[in-house]
């Protein structure tokens, strides 16, 4: 690694909602920066005005904030020494570099209209490339006489500036994850760097900003690997080869059931989110507004979400799967990033959330559960006002849940006394002795001055002994009479929580209904 202070950037284009693959790129940048005491920057690459989608930038910022990937500097996170961080606000910077490239013979003006390029494409049977083989037959400052070029520029004719890619050169680069890469320059076309509307294209703006912002490592998705050799050429031509960042191209996220790239369609089809937050954005193809579901709204905890993403393409080299952000920072390295695509497994994603849910403390869970309870229980309900009660419900149900949204189904009978009783269990277990057992049990429970799990347990056992019944024969009935259900949370824990009066009242009512 070079000796400069590590500075990395996440550089999304605000062309739609941020895909989870993008969040993973941001995460790996963040982990790498933190591990090396470096800086992590958020740069918004919005030079392509045609693809700009309103709300996308805010969505990116909110997503990063939600999952705790906080940049040190960048749009939405405060200025460092390199502001502005939105490329549309840096417009003036790029032109001088485009002109420097032209002046030094490494780029040129091209005046071909869209129709002329289309004609060339048709002439070449679709195999057309603007490159060293075709450029002299097209309309540019290399093929036209100098005075004609000057005339066109003076008349402010539309132009683009294209990189003059050498005819036969070898471009070498080393990717941290993929190793040495050799590309023949003949495979690269003369990419547009700058347009007459005053805007740079991605390639120029990206390289100029990485240089000016002193970026040491470019960590981005594999889809940008084909652009890397072009960027290497730009560093060379701009005289920045010594300051060129190291490259690390991350494996693609693949859909669960094939080798295709994970898309919104896969999520819709298989029922899992591919975005961090819910929202509404125009569909990339039709432009129609479309709702998207996010991990946040699906009930994932941000730390579980981070853990899920971290393991998509990276592993610690051990069996450990659960990592806090700090543990990830300590353990993360490029050595264990895989080259091949990472298959997304929605069931595993749920498993991660479940692991986090089981470890959460009841106070935090109660904070998440309370808004749900507010929609289910009457305003002013005493249980809702009793935080300790809600917390205990949370600790009773969390072992059986994957999301906090499962809590209501798992615990509604704790809040609302049942009026129906599992008929299968009643049919199987209710016999001639049952009524007297429960009447005696109510009497014994009522005598208790302390209503703890151990007291309740001892009283049930004692009542069984009095009537010569085995405890095993009545326990499920006790559950059904108190909760209406044949299975559920820890029975004695639930009874302790409900309290003596409520438990006796429930059993009394059940005996009446069942023995009617
Ligand atoms: N603006 C590019 C994107 O939207 C950035 C690629 C890069 O990191 O160089 O992904």
């Amino acid at each position: 690694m070079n000796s400069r202070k590590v500075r990395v950037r996440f550089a999304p284009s605000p062309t739609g909602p941020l895909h989870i693959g993008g969040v993973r790129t941001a995460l790996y940048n963040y982990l790498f920066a933190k591990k090396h005491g470096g800086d992590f920057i958020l740069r918004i690459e919005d030079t392509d005005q045609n693809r700009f989608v309103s709300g996308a930038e805010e969505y990116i910022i909110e997503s990063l904030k939600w999952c705790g990937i906080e940049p040190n500097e960048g749009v939405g996170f405060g200025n460092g020494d390199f502001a502005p961080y939105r490329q549309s606000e840096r417009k003036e910077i790029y032109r001088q570099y485009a002109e420097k490239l032209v002046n030094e013979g490494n780029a040129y003006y091209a005046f071909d209209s869209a129709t002329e390029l289309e004609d060339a494409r048709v002439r070449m049977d679709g195999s057309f490339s603007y490159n060293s083989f075709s450029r002299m037959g097209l309309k540019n400052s290399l093929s036209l006489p100098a005075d004609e070029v000057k005339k066109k520029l003076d008349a402010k004719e539309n132009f683009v500036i294209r990189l003059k890619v050498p005819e036969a050169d070898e471009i070498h680069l080393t990717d941290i994850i993929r190793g040495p890469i050799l590309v023949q320059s003949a495979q690269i076309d003369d990419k547009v760097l700058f347009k007459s509307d005053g805007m740079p294209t991605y390639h120029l703006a990206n390289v100029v900003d990485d240089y000016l912002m002193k970026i040491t490592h470019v960590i981005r998705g594999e889809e940008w690997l084909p652009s890397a050799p072009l960027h290497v050429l730009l560093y060379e031509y701009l005289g920045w080869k010594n300051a060129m960042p190291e490259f690390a191209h991350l494996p693609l996220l693949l859909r669960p059931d094939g080798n295709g790239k994970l898309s919104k369609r896969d999520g819709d089809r298989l029922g899992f989110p591919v975005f961090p937050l819910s929202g509404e954005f125009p569909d990339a193809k039709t432009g129609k507004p479309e709702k998207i579901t996010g991990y946040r709204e699906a009930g994932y905890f941000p730390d579980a979400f981070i853990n899920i993403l971290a393991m998509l393409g990276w592993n610690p080299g051990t069996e450990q799967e659960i990592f806090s952000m700090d543990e990830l920072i300590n353990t993360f390295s490029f050595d264990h990033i895989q080259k091949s695509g990472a298959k997304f497994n929605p069931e595993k994603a749920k498993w991660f959330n479940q692991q986090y849910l089981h470890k959460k403390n009841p106070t935090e869970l109660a904070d998440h559960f309370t808004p749900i309870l507010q929609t289910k229980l009457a305003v002013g309900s005493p249980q809702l006002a009793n935080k300790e009660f809600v917390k205990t419900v949370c600790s009773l149900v969390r072992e059986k849940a994957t999301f906090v949204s499962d809590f209501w189904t798992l615990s509604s009978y704790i809040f609302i006394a049942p009026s129906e009783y599992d008929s299968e269990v009643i049919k199987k277990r209710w016999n001639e002795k049952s009524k007297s057992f429960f009447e005696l049990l109510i009497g014994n429970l009522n005598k208790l001055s302390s209503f703890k799990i151990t007291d309740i347990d001892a009283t049930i056992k004692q009542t069984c002994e009095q009537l010569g019944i085995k405890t095993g024969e009545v326990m499920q009935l006790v559950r059904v009479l108190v909760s209406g259900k044949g299975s559920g949370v820890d029975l004695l824990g639930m009874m302790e929580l409900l309290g003596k009066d409520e438990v006796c009242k429930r059993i009394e009512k059940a005996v009446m209904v069942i023995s009617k």
Side-chain angles (χ1 to χ4, degrees):
M1 193 189 303
N2 57 41
S3 57
R4 294 188 289 162
K5 178 180 189 189
V6 165
R7 283 178 57 82
V8 295
R9 84 305 191 267
F10 177 49
S13 300
T15 54
L18 179 64
H19 185 272
I20 52 171
V23 188
R24 189 203 53 179
T25 299
L27 173 65
Y28 286 10
N29 272 282
Y30 175 84
L31 296 176
F32 185 73
K34 294 292 152 202
K35 171 147 190 172
H36 296 283
D39 298 328
F40 168 55
I41 291 157
L42 173 65
R43 184 171 75 220
I44 298 291
E45 301 207 326
D46 58 348
T47 55
D48 189 349
Q49 297 292 323
N50 296 329
R51 295 181 61 219
F52 180 84
V53 169
S54 107
E57 184 183 296
E58 291 75 5
Y59 183 92
I60 293 165
I61 294 168
E62 200 184 333
S63 300
L64 296 183
K65 283 190 175 157
W66 172 63
C67 56
I69 309 176
E70 295 257 341
N72 303 77
E73 24 183 297
V75 178
F77 293 91
N79 290 342
D81 296 339
F82 303 90
Y85 296 91
R86 202 180 274 115
Q87 288 186 328
S88 57
E89 292 168 23
R90 302 171 60 81
K91 235 165 99 173
E92 303 313 318
I93 297 176
Y94 309 111
R95 174 170 217 122
Q96 53 178 303
Y97 295 106
E99 275 163 8
K100 176 180 153 77
L101 289 166
V102 174
N103 294 341
E104 292 176 3
N106 291 315
Y108 58 91
Y109 295 104
F111 303 99
D112 319 82
S113 68
T115 334
E116 285 164 341
L117 290 176
E118 190 47 42
D119 287 350
R121 222 160 265 135
V122 172
R123 265 202 317 278
M124 303 283 295
D125 233 3
S127 67
F128 170 73
S129 263
Y130 212 121
N131 58 17
S132 58
F133 301 101
S134 64
R135 66 169 84 104
M136 293 313 281
L138 293 152
K139 253 164 80 183
N140 54 58
S141 57
L142 300 177
S143 64
L144 299 172
D147 55 338
E148 206 175 313
V149 172
K150 188 171 180 310
K151 234 190 278 163
K152 283 181 180 302
L153 291 175
D154 290 345
K156 302 223 171 322
E157 262 188 41
N158 277 346
F159 67 83
V160 296
I161 293 178
R162 285 181 181 271
L163 184 68
K164 189 180 163 200
V165 177
E167 186 181 331
D169 226 357
E170 289 189 338
I171 305 169
H172 294 267
L173 72 126
T174 304
D175 183 272
I176 302 175
I177 297 165
R178 281 145 221 281
I181 294 171
L182 167 64
V183 177
Q184 301 298 334
S185 64
Q187 288 168 11
I188 304 173
D189 57 350
D190 290 356
K191 283 273 180 312
V192 174
L193 302 176
F194 199 83
K195 295 167 285 176
S196 47
D197 64 2
M199 278 294 197
T201 60
Y202 155 71
H203 300 293
L204 181 68
N206 187 267
V207 166
V208 167
D209 283 347
D210 282 347
Y211 171 74
L212 294 179
M213 295 181 179
K214 298 198 184 324
I215 298 303
T216 55
H217 298 78
V218 165
I219 306 166
R220 61 184 172 196
E222 189 185 318
E223 64 273 28
W224 300 102
L225 187 58
S227 301
L230 183 85
H231 297 174
V232 171
L233 272 186
L234 276 171
Y235 278 102
E236 205 174 296
Y237 292 159
L238 288 165
W240 300 336
K241 202 70 196 275
N242 289 337
M244 189 166 86
E246 294 186 51
F247 293 101
H249 288 91
L250 306 174
L252 290 177
L253 294 195
L254 305 180
R255 61 177 201 233
D257 56 353
N259 287 325
K261 211 172 137 179
L262 177 66
S263 73
K264 175 173 182 298
R265 245 171 308 123
D266 302 314
D268 292 345
R269 189 168 52 88
L270 301 167
F272 62 88
V274 297
F275 299 104
L277 316 176
S278 290
E280 195 175 274
F281 283 94
D283 179 78
K285 288 207 180 81
T286 63
K288 276 205 213 113
E290 277 212 9
K291 288 209 181 339
I292 54 161
T293 317
Y295 277 81
R296 182 177 66 183
E297 289 73 10
Y300 284 81
F301 294 111
D303 40 9
F305 178 63
I306 287 292
N307 205 148
I308 295 166
L309 293 184
M311 305 305 276
L312 281 173
W314 170 85
N315 69 76
T318 63
E319 293 298 302
Q320 187 179 343
E321 290 189 284
I322 303 295
F323 287 88
S324 66
M325 190 69 107
D326 284 343
E327 287 173 312
L328 284 173
I329 292 169
N330 281 330
T331 325
F332 183 79
S333 87
F334 289 124
D335 302 342
H336 289 105
I337 293 184
Q338 66 198 49
K339 290 193 188 65
S340 57
K343 242 185 211 321
F344 186 79
N345 178 346
E347 288 314 310
K348 188 77 187 189
K350 285 187 193 160
W351 177 86
F352 272 110
N353 204 64
Q354 199 174 41
Q355 302 306 306
Y356 275 79
L357 187 129
H358 293 175
K359 283 193 313 194
K360 295 268 175 216
N361 70 50
T363 313
E364 188 181 343
L365 293 176
D367 288 342
H368 289 287
F369 188 32
T370 302
I372 300 177
L373 283 178
Q374 281 160 345
T375 68
K376 306 284 185 190
L377 299 173
V379 184
S381 140
Q383 295 145 323
L384 194 51
N386 184 345
K387 188 120 196 219
E388 285 309 309
F389 188 92
V390 176
K391 269 165 65 176
T392 311
V393 173
C394 291
S395 44
L396 284 171
V397 297
R398 70 176 163 187
E399 283 304 317
K400 296 189 183 301
T402 304
F403 299 105
V404 173
S405 57
D406 300 334
F407 282 13
W408 175 250
T409 322
L410 293 168
S411 70
S412 59
Y413 54 80
I414 302 181
F415 294 94
I416 300 167
S419 51
E420 283 174 12
Y421 305 91
D422 188 318
S423 53
E424 298 271 302
V425 179
I426 300 294
K427 207 165 119 200
K428 204 165 131 206
R429 301 263 179 212
W430 189 265
N431 57 33
E432 63 292 346
K433 284 192 200 159
S434 302
K435 191 167 181 233
S436 20
F437 170 80
F438 281 104
E439 280 166 356
L440 188 57
L441 181 64
I442 294 171
N444 289 341
L445 289 175
N446 260 324
K447 279 187 230 147
L448 291 176
S449 53
S450 149
F451 202 71
K452 296 268 166 252
I453 289 181
T454 43
D455 308 314
I456 304 166
D457 191 32
T459 309
I460 296 175
K461 285 189 182 129
Q462 176 211 335
T463 313
C464 285
E465 272 164 29
Q466 281 175 283
L467 294 183
I469 300 175
K470 286 203 191 91
T471 334
E473 288 172 33
V474 293
M475 281 320 262
Q476 207 186 6
L477 273 181
V478 177
R479 177 184 289 286
V480 172
L481 268 58
V482 174
S483 72
K485 307 242 180 273
S487 61
V489 301
D490 173 55
L491 174 61
L492 298 174
M494 170 174 64
M495 291 171 81
E496 178 185 305
L497 174 67
L498 287 172
K500 186 166 82 176
D501 293 350
E502 176 69 13
V503 167
C504 291
K505 208 165 87 189
R506 286 188 179 198
I507 297 177
E508 220 168 293
K509 178 181 162 200
V511 170
M512 239 170 61
V513 174
I514 296 164
S515 54
K516 218 172 26 192

